[in-house]
Amino acid sequence: MSVIAGQTGHGIEISQLKGTLLGSMAVLMWGFLPLLRLMAGEVPPLQLTFMSLFTAALAVLTWGRTRRKIYGKPWHDHGQRDVFLAAGFLLGAVVFYFAALMQAPAAEVALITYLWPLGLAAAICISAGRRPGLNMWTGLLLSFSGAALALLSGNEGQGGSTMDPGTAAGYALGLASGVCWLGYSLMLGRLPTNAGLHAGIFAWAGIAAALLHLLLEHTVLDLSFAVLLTTACIGIGPYGLAFMAWGQGLRYGHAGLLSALCYTVPVVATTLLILAGMEAWRMELALAALAALAVTCGAWLAGRDRNKTLAEA
């Protein structure tokens, strides 16, 4: 396997296969997020965000310090404007997603949020100097049709002909999270993916979340050990190591394949919720799974003509 041109900024070369595997691991860990969010109970979104991101910063910092070859330069040795922008996008992605999961069904929220890789596919295509072709437009049509199918099936599951305002707000928050995800992923293409930098991004996003929490939310102090453990798991896994793995995947893996794999997150999330007894099986979930399949096929079509990494685009 040939090595992709470019390095991580700390002297390690990564093959495209390894980059793709790392990105796939991140996608799998994200599938656990809805389940972990429900296990965290009624912890407010901003409080859960700063607790998770501080845990992520500590986890990545500790992991990087034990493996100095991947630690790299600390965050302040890079362009501080890009670091703060990345932290802002990360903050929005996490907060909006947690808030959306409190307002609307997890399967539908995940599907709407994970429309963002289509934007990533379009951005890579445009940055490579190409106009979106037939595959891109077909992918967009399939993806938005799949999302519409999920929304309609979720609304039927509520037994109403009109969408509940709270559910609609949840869908809007999920879409906002997706937009922030897109911004964060694009920023990763401009920054090295080492542990020192990621720890700084997590820490700054966590500080901002803590300040917003103090201004906007009531702090829940009576947290059980199970909730604290769940928060730690979110920080270490989906928002710690997964973000680092996703950064490596975007820069060195197969960007088109990873974009398509992102749409398996709703299916993984729903399956885990059913197995944990937090979601009852219903026909609407089958329709949502079909929608996710349509979106996955759309994303693959949108990126089929490119095997570029984000770093090469």
Side-chain angles (χ1 to χ4, degrees):
M1 176 65 66
S2 62
V3 175
I4 299 297
Q7 297 182 338
T8 60
H10 39 72
I12 297 179
E13 295 179 331
I14 294 182
S15 68
Q16 188 179 62
L17 175 60
K18 183 177 180 181
T20 303
L21 289 175
L22 287 171
S24 302
M25 289 174 56
V27 170
L28 178 61
M29 283 189 276
W30 290 336
F32 283 84
L33 264 175
L35 174 61
L36 293 172
R37 176 63 184 102
L38 293 180
M39 291 174 62
E42 298 300 319
V43 181
L46 286 167
Q47 181 178 349
L48 184 60
T49 298
F50 84 74
M51 293 172 65
S52 300
L53 290 178
F54 281 143
T55 304
L58 290 174
V60 170
L61 192 62
T62 302
W63 182 59
R65 286 297 189 184
T66 60
R67 294 167 174 80
R68 286 190 173 273
K69 63 180 181 179
I70 60 90
Y71 180 75
K73 297 180 180 180
W75 70 271
H76 48 74
D77 286 345
H78 304 283
Q80 294 188 20
R81 176 178 174 273
D82 288 344
V83 171
F84 290 140
L85 279 175
F89 281 126
L90 174 61
L91 174 64
V94 178
V95 172
F96 290 144
Y97 193 59
F98 283 158
L101 290 174
M102 297 182 69
Q103 298 288 332
E108 287 83 348
V109 166
L111 185 59
I112 292 173
T113 300
Y114 284 88
L115 284 172
W116 69 263
L118 282 175
L120 181 64
I124 293 176
C125 181
I126 293 172
S127 65
R130 301 195 308 270
R131 292 183 178 181
L134 179 61
N135 283 341
M136 177 72 72
W137 292 115
T138 304
L140 286 170
L141 178 62
L142 278 174
S143 297
F144 285 112
S145 298
L149 176 62
L151 294 181
L152 291 174
S153 65
N155 188 45
E156 290 173 1
Q158 295 172 12
S161 58
T162 59
M163 188 180 297
D164 176 79
T167 302
Y171 293 156
L173 288 168
L175 183 60
S177 175
V179 172
C180 291
W181 267 107
L182 173 59
Y184 181 73
S185 293
L186 291 175
M187 291 305 302
L188 288 181
R190 303 175 58 176
L191 293 166
T193 54
N194 59 62
L197 177 65
H198 273 275
I201 292 175
F202 293 147
W204 279 113
I207 291 171
L211 294 175
L212 290 173
H213 164 71
L214 294 175
L215 291 173
L216 302 174
E217 291 179 341
H218 173 71
T219 303
V220 177
L221 297 176
D222 187 17
L223 299 176
S224 66
F225 176 76
V227 171
L228 293 175
L229 181 61
T230 299
T231 303
C233 288
I234 293 174
I236 294 171
Y239 286 144
L241 300 180
F243 272 131
M244 285 200 63
W246 181 244
Q248 300 283 11
L250 281 181
R251 290 181 65 87
Y252 304 103
H254 191 299
L257 178 59
L258 290 176
S259 295
L261 286 177
C262 280
Y263 296 105
T264 63
V265 170
V267 178
V268 173
T270 303
T271 302
L272 291 172
L273 289 170
I274 293 174
L275 292 176
M278 293 186 175
E279 180 78 64
W281 168 256
R282 48 190 171 89
M283 185 57 65
E284 290 77 23
L285 293 180
L287 293 176
L290 289 176
L293 178 61
V295 175
T296 303
C297 293
W300 177 248
L301 280 175
R304 195 179 69 174
D305 291 337
R306 60 188 171 82
N307 59 2
K308 283 182 175 295
T309 66
L310 189 63
E312 293 177 304

